[in-house]
Amino acid sequence: MIPPGEDAEFAACMEHVLDTYAKPPDPARPVVCMDEQPLQLVRETRRPLPATRSRPRRVDYEYERAGTASAFLFCEPLGCWRQATVRERRTKVDWAREVAALLEGRYAGCGQVTLVCDNLNTHTRGAFYEAFEPERARALALALARRVEFCHTPKHGSWLNVAESELSCMTRQCLANRRIGDIGMLRAELEAWADDVNSAQRGVDWHMGADDARRKLKSIYPKIKT
């Protein structure tokens, strides 16, 4: 995405994200990045021919669209951890259930979680009331208000989200040149990908800081009139 020129709001959001990434690791206050990606389900119309000694595996060019799904990806850049899940849609209810699973599971004992994400209208406390009964929804909404610090990427600045890079890796390493027409199979494949990458303890080597942004992206910062 092409960032806007001389945009103070973009610069402020960008530096907030970069300062968040520069914090030292703290297991009690983890930084978590999340992003969502729509996926097309595709079925084969003819059975592929297996590879032989003289020929590679052959797949017919014809295929059948089998609907869509959405991938939710959460990752800890400093924790060498990522989670990829699949849902039929990416509504408020889907987001609420994904976040609830983390607040009540992996991060139940953390005092605060910094969540780096874009500023979609599905990322709200009200989403819990659409997904759960009032008592549980209130508890989750309070946990979100007290324990989750949102760090929003600016519009046209989703490249600042590490989770977007992880989604790109997932697409290349797990889904490229494959036809998956069943949401259950897609879910299993993405879970297997995440388990494999986590077992390898692959980290994230992020170099860009606020000082680098001010030097390399000067066009983003407004010109101060004196």
Side-chain angles (χ1 to χ4, degrees):
M1 295 183 179
I2 301 174
E6 298 190 25
D7 190 316
E9 292 302 320
F10 186 100
C13 289
M14 176 182 65
E15 291 202 357
H16 185 202
V17 174
L18 297 177
D19 288 343
T20 297
Y21 290 158
K23 293 179 180 178
D26 183 353
R29 302 168 66 91
V31 173
V32 182
C33 302
M34 73 143 299
D35 201 3
E36 302 139 289
Q37 176 177 303
L39 298 173
Q40 177 76 49
L41 299 174
V42 177
R43 290 195 189 101
E44 301 285 2
T45 57
R46 297 185 181 183
R47 181 174 295 180
L49 299 178
T52 66
R53 289 187 177 183
S54 58
R55 287 189 174 184
R57 182 174 182 266
R58 285 174 287 172
V59 179
D60 195 83
Y61 68 88
E62 187 179 348
Y63 61 87
E64 176 187 351
R65 287 194 174 97
T68 59
S70 290
F72 284 76
L73 193 140
F74 293 83
C75 68
E76 276 185 55
L78 298 178
C80 298
W81 173 84
R82 65 274 300 150
Q83 172 184 287
T85 57
V86 177
R87 291 189 172 273
E88 293 183 3
R89 295 168 294 276
R90 52 174 182 168
T91 63
K92 285 185 176 181
V93 171
D94 297 295
W95 180 83
R97 288 176 176 162
E98 291 291 335
V99 173
L102 291 178
L103 290 178
E104 297 174 338
R106 179 178 176 86
Y107 301 114
C110 294
Q112 186 174 53
V113 177
T114 300
L115 185 62
V116 180
C117 61
D118 52 22
N119 198 9
L120 282 180
N121 59 4
T122 55
H123 303 164
T124 67
R125 283 181 288 175
F128 294 118
Y129 286 85
E130 295 190 25
F132 306 108
E133 293 298 321
E135 185 175 351
R136 186 181 177 196
R138 182 172 181 270
L140 287 165
L142 287 174
L144 192 73
R146 294 171 180 172
R147 295 174 48 215
V148 178
E149 177 189 358
F150 280 94
C151 179
H152 292 122
T153 56
K155 188 177 180 180
H156 299 290
S158 61
W159 50 273
L160 289 161
N161 192 342
V162 171
E164 183 171 279
S165 300
E166 292 288 346
L167 278 174
S168 178
C169 292
M170 180 194 75
T171 301
R172 293 196 312 271
Q173 296 168 1
C174 182
L175 303 178
N177 301 318
R178 299 183 66 192
R179 293 176 181 175
I180 301 176
D182 177 76
I183 196 169
M185 179 180 177
L186 177 62
R187 184 175 289 117
E189 290 294 315
L190 295 193
E191 288 177 358
W193 170 83
D195 288 342
D196 182 64
V197 178
N198 288 339
S199 65
Q201 286 291 286
R202 175 172 66 76
V204 175
D205 192 12
W206 184 274
H207 290 279
M208 187 176 181
D211 291 339
D212 300 302
R214 293 173 189 175
R215 185 175 67 256
K216 297 178 180 179
L217 302 175
K218 292 182 180 179
S219 63
I220 291 175
Y221 292 83
K223 303 295 187 294
I224 306 299
K225 297 179 181 178
T226 58

